[in-house]
Amino acid sequence: MMVATRIGAAPALWNKVPAITLTFWVIKVLSTTVGETGADYLAVHVGLGAALTTGLMSTLLVAALVLQLSRRRYVPWIYWLTVVLLSVVGTQITDILTDTLNVSLYVSTAVFAVLLAAWFWVWHRAEGTLSINAIDTRSRELFYWGAVLVTFALGTAAGDLATEALGLGFRLGVLGFGLLIVAIAAAQRAGLNAVLAFWLAYILTRPLGASLGDLLAQAREYGGIGLGTVVTSALFLAVIAALVLFISLRPAVPLREQRP
């Protein structure tokens, strides 16, 4: 059933985000890994540099967002293409601040955390909800994608702070961020607000995916396994493509069955 249109609002849309399932979280982590390894590959190995990589990926992101916003319902390949590009751009924003402008990871993590909190506050004041089961108007969709971009930048900064500045390393980063997500899932089952739990886990998938990407791609002398950014990116993109094809071919999950 089409969601009713509010008076004075743009025509209502079908909910524009996927159901929160195990497949959702797997693709989300894989997309963040691609964001980390893909950005490194383009900026360093291809030699585009941070500025050109950011400009190129931002242009592709704008095109993907225009395509996403033009649809009236959730289209898996468009949605996940947008997420992957947001991951790359979010990574580059933090990397430029850290590597080019020499902004401390402590500062960038704090600033992005405050920015995300402010964005959520404005979103809630304007729409009355932060639930992803209600991304059914143009304004809510714009709030949603803005939040996603900031979570990627925040997750990148927090992940680099933990694994590099605080010296946890890639393996402990994967373990630590993974355990935090498990703890949030347990807290939700014990009564933690579902919307809060979702966004906390969503933020943490970024440093988890980045730590996993670095662990797989970085050379052994730097604490990685040594697969390289090309192999890691190609492998994870192939898995993402296969999963997106899978969910595109199966029946949609009714909105009432989605969580949070």
Side-chain angles (χ1 to χ4, degrees), residues 227-240:
L227 293 181
T229 55
V230 176
V231 173
T232 303
S233 298
L235 176 62
F236 279 35
L237 279 173
V239 176
I240 290 172

Side-chain angles (χ1 to χ4, degrees), residues 17-252:
V17 300
I20 308 306
T21 63
L22 178 60
T23 303
F24 171 90
W25 290 115
V26 171
I27 300 177
K28 174 60 169 63
V29 172
L30 294 179
S31 67
T32 62
T33 302
V34 170
E36 181 73 12
T37 58
D40 288 346
Y41 173 72
L42 293 173
V44 179
H45 296 281
V46 175
L48 297 181
L52 186 56
T53 298
T54 303
L56 175 61
M57 292 297 103
S58 296
T59 301
L60 293 175
L61 173 59
V62 170
L65 279 172
V66 169
L67 188 60
Q68 166 70 20
L69 293 170
S70 70
R71 297 301 187 265
R72 295 186 60 80
R73 65 178 67 202
Y74 163 64
V75 180
W77 74 268
I78 299 176
Y79 175 89
W80 287 111
L81 173 63
T82 305
V83 170
V84 170
L85 291 171
L86 275 167
S87 178
V88 176
V89 172
T91 298
Q92 286 303 108
I93 290 173
T94 299
D95 287 348
I96 288 174
L97 289 174
T98 304
D99 300 332
T100 304
L101 301 179
N102 296 317
V103 175
S104 166
L105 286 169
Y106 292 94
V107 173
S108 59
T109 300
V111 169
F112 285 131
V114 171
L115 178 60
L116 182 60
W119 187 265
F120 280 144
W121 183 83
V122 173
W123 180 359
H124 193 271
R125 280 291 298 257
E127 301 295 335
T129 179
L130 301 178
S131 173
I132 64 164
N133 284 346
I135 310 301
D136 50 17
T137 66
R138 185 69 67 236
S139 61
R140 289 180 179 180
E141 189 175 10
L142 291 172
F143 275 122
Y144 172 82
W145 288 114
V148 170
L149 176 60
V150 181
T151 63
F152 278 124
L154 171 59
T156 301
D160 288 348
L161 175 63
T163 59
E164 298 176 15
L166 298 180
L168 293 182
F170 306 135
R171 287 178 172 81
L172 282 179
V174 171
L175 178 61
F177 290 118
L179 288 175
L180 284 174
I181 292 174
V182 171
I184 290 171
Q188 181 181 346
R189 292 180 66 87
L192 179 66
N193 179 271
V195 174
L196 175 60
F198 169 81
W199 284 111
L200 288 175
Y202 199 92
I203 292 168
L204 288 171
T205 56
R206 178 62 187 87
L208 172 62
S211 298
L212 178 61
D214 284 334
L215 175 63
L216 294 173
Q218 294 297 324
R220 295 181 183 274
E221 56 264 33
Y222 298 114
I225 294 176
L227 293 181
T229 55
V230 176
V231 173
T232 303
S233 298
L235 176 62
F236 279 35
L237 279 173
V239 176
I240 290 172
L243 289 174
V244 170
L245 178 62
F246 168 73
I247 61 179
S248 298
L249 295 177
R250 71 180 182 181

